[in-house]
Amino acid sequence: MYIEQAYKGLIDNWRYLIGILLIIGVWQFLGSFPLLAALALKEGGMSAMMSGSIGKMSEVLGSNTFLFFMLLTFVFGLIAVFLVVKFLHKQSLTDLTTSRPKIDWKRVAFSFFLWGSISVLFIFIDIYFAPEDYEYNFQLVPFLILAVIAIAMIPLQTSMEEYFMRGYMMQGLGILTKNRWFPLLFTSLLFGLLHIMNPEVDKLGYGILIFYIGTGLFLGIITLMDQGLELALGFHAANNLTAALLVTADWTAFSVDSLYRDISEPVLGWDMLVPVFVVFPILLLIFSKKYGWTNWKEKLTGKVLSEEEFLKLDN
């Protein structure tokens, strides 16, 4: 099973403690240096930096430039995850990714195109029925620059979050607690709370965290049920990529040169809750039918045992 792949490496508690500190340090501090340097070189950059406002920093640098430097922090974080796993835990990237003999890229692609298609469909349905809420925002050169940055870097950003949350932390917490339900719930809650500084929370209120935590729970469930990160990697990349390229708003984390601009008054409505309570359960059904998922209770709440412990229990 997926969490048990950690047993193939070194699993001392101190290694995970140091690993988490190293990853966060590289991601949040070292990775931020290029952004801070770019701001320092711009007029008004220091005041924007001190304010901590994403909107002000984006205004100083330009939306595409700011997006590049923001995503670059996640590239640093992803490299840190891979190095920590390889050198501190002596674990392979494949074992961090999946319980299968090799990474199943067909699963990544299926999840990506499935959720990407659904996301695009939902967006254009909303534009069709509420055209007054949207403004056509297409500008060829800025959009092409955005597309290059987004296609090249957003999959790295989402992969960093998946490898750190549903990979490194889920495996580490599973080994520590000897069960599956705690790492599932803890990483889902943490995933949601990490978005608490997003501009959307200021506009929509803390109720939006239901969407983020629910999304984290969904990603955790498909990781444990499918015994690997592949479906989560594809889903998360499709989700962020379509959001960045198709619709932007002044109050979102991706306030960029997207195809459309949402000019409606921000309100926490059905569009934020339906995915969690309706669409995600349907996706779980689709995935379970396609990949033959069974034994849900054991895979989501069962014990985590090493091979030696399992053999003793079996005897």
Side-chain angles (χ1 to χ4, degrees), residues 37-87:
L39 284 168
L41 294 173
K42 284 283 189 176
E43 183 179 351
M46 293 302 294
S47 61
M49 188 193 312
M50 295 301 293
S51 72
S53 168
I54 290 178
K56 289 182 179 179
M57 289 187 284
S58 179
E59 184 178 341
V60 168
L61 292 177
S63 60
N64 285 333
T65 303
F66 177 74
L67 177 66
F68 171 80
F69 283 114
M70 184 180 70
L71 294 176
L72 187 60
T73 65
F74 290 90
V75 176
F76 276 78
L78 182 62
I79 293 172
V81 172
F82 289 167
L83 291 178
V84 163
V85 168
K86 179 177 176 60
F87 293 106

Side-chain angles (χ1 to χ4, degrees), residues 7 26 31 68 76 91 111 115 119 128 147 208 219-220 227 237 265 289 295:
Y7 284 115
V26 171
F68 171 80
F76 276 78
Q91 184 185 10
S111 181
W115 183 240
S119 297
Y128 179 80
I208 187 63
L219 292 169
Q227 303 301 328
E265 184 65 24
K289 293 296 183 181
N295 201 14

Side-chain angles (χ1 to χ4, degrees), residues 135-155:
E135 178 181 86
Y136 189 60
N137 189 54
F138 179 71
Q139 301 175 70
L140 180 60
V141 174
F143 181 79
L144 289 178
I145 295 172
L146 167 65
V148 170
I149 294 172
I151 293 171
M153 299 190 71
I154 283 180

